[in-house]
Amino acid sequence: MNTPTVGILIGGLIYSRIKKNGSDFEPISFYEEACIQYGLSPCFFRLKDITLETNQINALVKGEKGKYEMKVITIPKIIHNRGLFFTNKSKLKIKSLQKTGVIIFNDRNRYGKWGVHEILMKNEELQPHLPETKRASSRNFIEMMEKYKELIIKPNSGSLGGGVVMVEKKDRDLWEVRYRQKREAFTNEWPEIIRKKVLNKNYIIQERIPLTEYQGSPFDLRVSVQKNGLGEWQVTGVVGKVAKMGNYVTNVAKGGTCKTLNELLNEYSDLDFNEVYQSIEDFSIKAVTELNKYFPNLADVGLDIGLTSEGFPMFIECNGRDLRYSFKIAQMPEVWKATYTTPISYARYLFDSKIDEE
Ligand SMILES: Nc1ncnc2c1ncn2[C@@H]1O[C@H](COP(=O)(O)OP(=O)(O)OP(=O)(O)O)[C@@H](O)[C@H]1O
Ligand SMILES: [Mg+2]
């Protein structure tokens, strides 16, 4: 039987890990197993390993001795993108590749928070799940302070929890800004940190969702939403991220820990796990279906979703390259593995439905 090759486009860090550890690096063994299951063979490469002129790549392929070796092969027809590209040159290279008929899913994997908010706002059903959001400006900040007791000011584009500021009303004219581990009280005159962020066009101002808490720390959820072997969206897994004691951001990069949703809901006896899970799933599928209209190759995202004390899902952000690692930390090995298997099953679907046999 003909075993087509699926390409996995990765960054430099993972590339060196494969060269060093090969299949001993867990994510790689997950891809390998999934490929056996779906009758594909994987190859790994970076953007710079692609030579458009010759239609070839210099890829890492498993050799006969079970070690990964560099091999020059034809560019695979289906590529799962797991890299992050910032420069225009890289983006152009991806575009040129697509023009030759190669399908690259999750081609884009950074989406500005403001743009995503605007897209989702267009759908009435999704609106109740979106915290009020405005672009940073003095006027918008004043307006938001009049409406909400708690605000979040954060960068429009990725920061792993860095640069996120919380502003909280303490009393009639008394406010407090929290940034990293610092707190600063203010009344009429805005502290430097606020002025800097509010006047920065690359920031957004958001109503702070009153997040559910676990042992006194706020938590939110990472929801892996992926296209599967039927070419349909599915929720592959949900995991909770709990902020470090005293912190207001849940990012693992900022000391957050990961726990299962079941564990986290234990403190909320009036919330039913199945009902909450169902509403997370419903919202997530609707949200990505909407985003997919604007980003046609979208196939694998990690949504950050907060819960209110009523168990109502509130959208925080959409990550284009879900690191998937939270599932490992929360000791959910099966789900962790499934986040790798599902994109491969989708690649199989693409081979069967979009690629003509030669
Ligand atoms: N509107 C909000 N209400 C409550 N908490 C929020 C809100 N926005 C952000 N947070 C908290 O801050 C954390 C980081 O914010 P967010 O996920 O939007 O950006 P990020 O993770 O820094 O960005 P990226 O993933 O692109 O690097 C969230 O996980 C959440 O804990
Ligand atoms: Mg986030």
Side-chain angles (χ1 to χ4, degrees):
M1 201 184 88
N2 174 27
T3 309
T5 299
V6 58
I8 300 167
L9 179 53
I10 51 178
L13 216 59
I14 302 289
Y15 189 87
S16 351
R17 285 290 296 270
I18 302 175
K19 271 180 100 171
K20 196 166 148 228
N21 305 103
S23 314
D24 291 341
F25 183 33
E26 276 165 306
I28 299 311
S29 67
F30 294 163
Y31 279 130
E32 287 172 359
E33 278 182 50
C35 281
I36 292 172
Q37 191 182 341
Y38 291 99
L40 299 171
S41 93
C43 74
F44 301 88
F45 52 90
R46 301 157 299 186
L47 197 58
K48 66 173 174 198
D49 299 318
I50 305 173
T51 314
L52 288 167
E53 293 75 19
T54 58
N55 193 33
Q56 283 176 323
I57 45 167
N58 195 357
L60 286 175
V61 182
K62 206 167 182 172
E64 292 192 345
K65 290 192 191 115
K67 269 194 86 129
Y68 275 86
E69 293 161 2
M70 230 113 73
K71 215 170 146 187
V72 176
I73 57 172
T74 314
I75 299 176
K77 295 201 167 68
I78 308 283
I79 296 176
H80 175 27
N81 178 29
R82 288 288 289 160
L84 279 182
F85 309 112
F86 302 101
T87 62
N88 281 336
K89 203 174 142 208
S90 315
K91 289 174 193 160
L92 271 175
K93 195 162 182 185
I94 298 264
K95 282 228 167 73
S96 315
L97 202 56
Q98 287 170 322
K99 276 198 195 125
T100 68
V102 171
I103 299 178
I104 308 179
F105 62 95
N106 255 31
D107 54 346
R108 269 188 65 166
N109 43 29
R110 282 166 80 81
Y111 304 98
K113 293 183 171 67
W114 176 252
V116 165
H117 176 79
E118 281 198 310
I119 291 174
L120 298 180
M121 274 302 279
K122 290 186 192 166
N123 183 322
E124 257 177 49
E125 270 184 277
L126 297 177
Q127 284 172 7
H129 298 272
L130 306 175
E132 183 163 359
T133 304
K134 291 192 182 290
R135 297 194 89 130
S137 76
S138 305
R139 221 176 103 186
N140 286 340
F141 185 53
I142 294 168
E143 202 184 310
M144 292 290 270
M145 284 171 94
E146 278 160 8
K147 275 180 103 165
Y148 301 100
K149 286 200 162 111
E150 289 183 344
L151 297 172
I152 291 281
I153 313 176
K154 62 186 180 182
N156 182 45
S157 190
S159 60
L160 300 172
V164 181
V165 168
M166 180 171 160
V167 185
E168 196 180 345
K169 189 173 188 162
K170 289 290 183 189
D171 202 0
R172 249 189 21 198
D173 295 318
L174 183 65
W175 289 78
E176 185 181 78
V177 57
R178 297 174 63 183
Y179 183 50
R180 299 211 181 107
Q181 305 299 337
K182 289 184 231 123
R183 292 166 185 260
E184 193 176 340
F186 68 98
T187 50
N188 291 329
E189 195 155 328
W190 299 346
E192 170 75 14
I193 179 74
I194 294 219
R195 268 183 283 140
K196 248 174 44 195
K197 309 259 165 185
V198 162
L199 295 176
N200 187 331
K201 286 198 183 68
N202 296 320
Y203 275 70
I204 57 172
I205 304 171
Q206 208 161 56
E207 135 193 26
R208 179 174 183 272
I209 304 153
L211 296 178
T212 36
E213 295 186 349
Y214 176 81
Q215 296 179 350
S217 293
F219 73 83
D220 57 22
L221 310 167
R222 173 55 56 89
V223 183
S224 166
V225 201
Q226 302 178 312
K227 281 196 181 163
N228 60 24
L230 301 170
E232 290 164 359
W233 285 107
Q234 71 170 42
V235 167
T236 303
V238 178
V239 60
K241 300 175 285 155
V242 187
K244 189 171 132 184
M245 180 73 92
N247 210 344
Y248 52 91
V249 297
T250 61
N251 304 61
V252 177
K254 291 282 173 270
T257 52
C258 302
K259 303 221 172 275
T260 63
L261 179 61
N262 208 2
E263 233 173 318
L264 296 173
L265 289 186
N266 269 342
E267 285 190 29
Y268 291 82
S269 51
D270 48 336
L271 295 184
D272 175 68
F273 175 87
N274 290 323
E275 268 176 41
V276 172
Y277 193 92
Q278 189 64 50
S279 55
I280 294 165
E281 198 166 56
D282 290 348
F283 166 75
S284 303
I285 302 280
K286 270 186 210 150
V288 295
T289 304
E290 203 59 38
L291 291 171
N292 203 180
K293 292 181 190 164
Y294 298 83
F295 309 118
N297 295 312
L298 197 73
D300 175 10
V301 299
L303 302 182
D304 279 342
I305 290 181
L307 290 178
T308 66
S309 52
E310 285 84 41
F312 189 77
M314 292 293 289
F315 178 78
I316 297 178
E317 69 153 341
C318 171
N319 293 284
R321 188 186 60 153
D322 183 7
L323 285 182
R324 302 169 179 168
Y325 206 65
S326 315
F327 295 104
K328 179 181 164 77
I329 302 174
Q331 294 176 340
M332 302 166 72
E334 294 304 317
V335 182
W336 185 41
K337 191 171 170 184
T339 58
Y340 286 87
T341 311
T342 310
I344 296 299
S345 73
Y346 178 58
R348 178 76 248 179
Y349 161 84
L350 290 175
F351 272 111
D352 294 342
S353 58
K354 305 272 192 268
I355 306 289
D356 298 327
E357 295 272 340
E358 274 157 21

